[in-house]
């Protein structure tokens, strides 16, 4: 149990709020467990018709807790809290909506690839700085992004790892709408309410069919990424990146071959 992820059921919507603002909502193992538990809770509760992931008006999530990265992944990827969460996210048949503001870094962006509707504030900074951290893509992003955006756009996001805005994300088809940050969650909740009024079995079937588009290939990609990610976490490149973040300086990769 952690109070860093809060859940609340309201009008058939399971609202899951990331709540660790002093650390920019960086996600720890316990928080991933809670995020995954919410999907199972929604799956097992026929009164829940959709899930809303949200943070605050200022911050969605700065991604994985960098301190936890330094400790490595506890076990095989699929058995780790983050692996379980991502695999549940990609396979659940309850619709998932996201309300995003401020930083949406790392998994804060890749988890959105498995959401059905995404609303983002005009203050959102999306980023997948995996390579920048000596790591590699995760969450199925190495498969989904090239097929959705084309190879070169995907490589730009995953290799250069720069931040991009909500307007950029809208242009790329990664989100549905750009909002005023104070209105993002309200807008997402309105969409949840509309979804909850739809015929629930038809919505579940639709999500199952959308999930099938990635299918076995998506799961295989996520597992392959997870294995390589765990290896990269032990790399000197990642050690340098984490040390640099802690020391508030730019990493220096010039001595690596
Ligand atoms: N893990 C652990 N702590 C984190 C964190 C993370 N992913 N992201 C931010 N924090 C901490 C900072 O260390 C800082 O702690 P401090 O107050 O003790 O110094 C606090 O949260 C506030 O972050 P700060 O960097 O001061 O906020 P900012 O508004 O200037 O920048 C970010 C926000 C998200 C751009 C910046 O924090 C960042 O780049 N974080 C790392 C993101 C990342 O690489 N995630 C992993 C992706 S795979």
């Amino acid at each position: 149990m952690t109070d860093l992820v809060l859940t609340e059921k309201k009008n058939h919507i399971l609202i899951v709020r990331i709540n660790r603002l002093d650390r920019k909502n960086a996600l720890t193992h316990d928080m991933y467990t809670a995020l995954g538990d919410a999907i199972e809770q929604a799956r097992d509760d026929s009164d829940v018709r959709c899930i809303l992931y949200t943070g605050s008006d200022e911050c969605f999530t700065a991604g994985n807790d960098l301190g936890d990265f330094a400790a490595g992944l506890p076990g095989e990827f699929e058995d780790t809290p983050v692996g379980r969460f991502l695999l549940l996210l990609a396979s659940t048949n309850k619709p998932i909506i996201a309300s995003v503001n401020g930083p949406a870094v790392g998994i804060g962006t890749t988890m959105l690839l498995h959401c059905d509707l995404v609303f983002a504030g005009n203050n959102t900074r999306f980023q997948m700085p995996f390579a920048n951290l000596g790591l590699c893509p995760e969450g199925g992003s190495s498969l989904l992004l090239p097929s959705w955006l084309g190879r070169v756009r995907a490589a730009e996001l995953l290799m250069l790892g720069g931040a991009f805005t909500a307007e950029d994300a809208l242009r790329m088809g990664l989100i549905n709408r750009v909002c005023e940050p104070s209105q993002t969650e309200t807008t997402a909740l309105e969409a949840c309410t509309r979804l909850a009024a739809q015929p629930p079995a038809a919505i579940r079937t639709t999500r199952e069919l959308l999930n099938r588009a990635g299918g076995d290939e998506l799961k295989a990609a996520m597992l392959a990424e997870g294995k390589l990610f765990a290896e990269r976490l032990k790399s000197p490149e990642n050690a340098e990146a984490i040390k640099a973040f802690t020391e508030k300086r730019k990493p220096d990769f010039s001595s690596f071959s």
Side-chain angles (χ1 to χ4, degrees):
M1 284 290 281
T2 171
D3 57 2
L4 302 178
V5 173
L6 306 172
T7 55
E8 177 193 3
K9 198 170 84 171
K10 208 163 142 185
N11 304 328
H12 308 294
I13 306 160
L14 185 67
I15 302 170
V16 184
R17 186 179 305 283
I18 307 171
N19 180 42
R20 194 191 181 205
L21 285 171
D22 61 331
R23 285 274 173 245
K24 299 284 169 184
N25 283 349
L27 298 167
T28 62
H29 299 310
D30 284 353
M31 291 167 76
Y32 285 123
T33 299
L35 295 176
D37 287 349
I39 298 175
E40 290 192 333
Q41 181 189 336
R43 180 194 63 197
D44 298 340
D45 184 346
S46 59
D47 193 43
V48 172
R49 293 190 172 192
C50 61
I51 303 171
L52 172 67
Y53 283 108
T54 187
S56 75
D57 291 355
E58 293 82 34
C59 184
F60 184 55
T61 172
N64 206 99
D65 186 286
L66 291 173
D68 275 9
F69 267 167
L73 277 185
E76 291 295 313
F77 173 73
E78 55 267 48
D79 302 324
T80 61
V82 61
R84 167 180 170 261
F85 166 58
L86 283 169
L87 291 166
L88 280 168
L89 194 65
S91 61
T92 187
N93 67 5
K94 294 269 167 107
I96 303 185
I97 292 84
S99 163
V100 182
N101 288 310
V105 187
I107 196 166
T109 294
T110 56
M111 67 177 278
L112 305 175
L113 307 179
H114 305 283
C115 292
D116 301 298
L117 299 171
V118 180
F119 300 89
N122 57 21
N123 61 348
T124 307
R125 301 287 288 169
F126 297 95
Q127 192 180 8
M128 292 175 283
F130 303 113
N132 313 38
L133 292 168
L135 299 170
C136 67
E138 43 109 267
S141 55
S142 64
L143 178 76
L144 297 175
L145 288 174
S147 75
W148 293 356
L149 310 181
R151 167 67 182 251
V152 295
R153 189 61 78 78
E156 182 180 349
L157 298 182
L158 292 170
M159 289 184 174
L160 295 182
F164 55 101
T165 64
E167 287 294 345
D168 295 331
L170 184 68
R171 257 194 308 277
M172 289 187 274
L174 296 175
I175 65 169
N176 295 89
R177 200 177 308 165
V178 181
C179 307
E180 280 300 317
S182 62
Q183 290 306 306
T184 314
E185 193 171 309
T186 311
T187 309
L189 273 169
E190 280 165 9
C192 289
T193 303
R194 283 176 59 196
L195 259 181
Q198 290 283 72
I203 293 293
R204 287 196 301 276
T205 304
T206 303
R207 166 117 183 151
E208 279 160 16
L209 289 165
L210 287 169
N211 286 350
R212 246 181 48 185
D216 293 342
E217 210 192 337
L218 175 59
K219 184 170 180 193
M222 290 169 84
L223 294 179
E225 289 169 347
K227 192 166 180 290
L228 292 168
F229 199 99
E231 286 171 21
R232 298 294 321 155
L233 280 173
K234 296 181 202 143
S235 69
E237 290 176 354
N238 178 243
E240 163 57 10
I242 301 295
K243 194 162 176 281
F245 181 79
T246 318
E247 293 170 0
K248 297 189 191 289
R249 63 169 170 82
K250 272 191 184 311
D252 176 6
F253 300 117
S254 60
S255 64
F256 296 106
S257 54

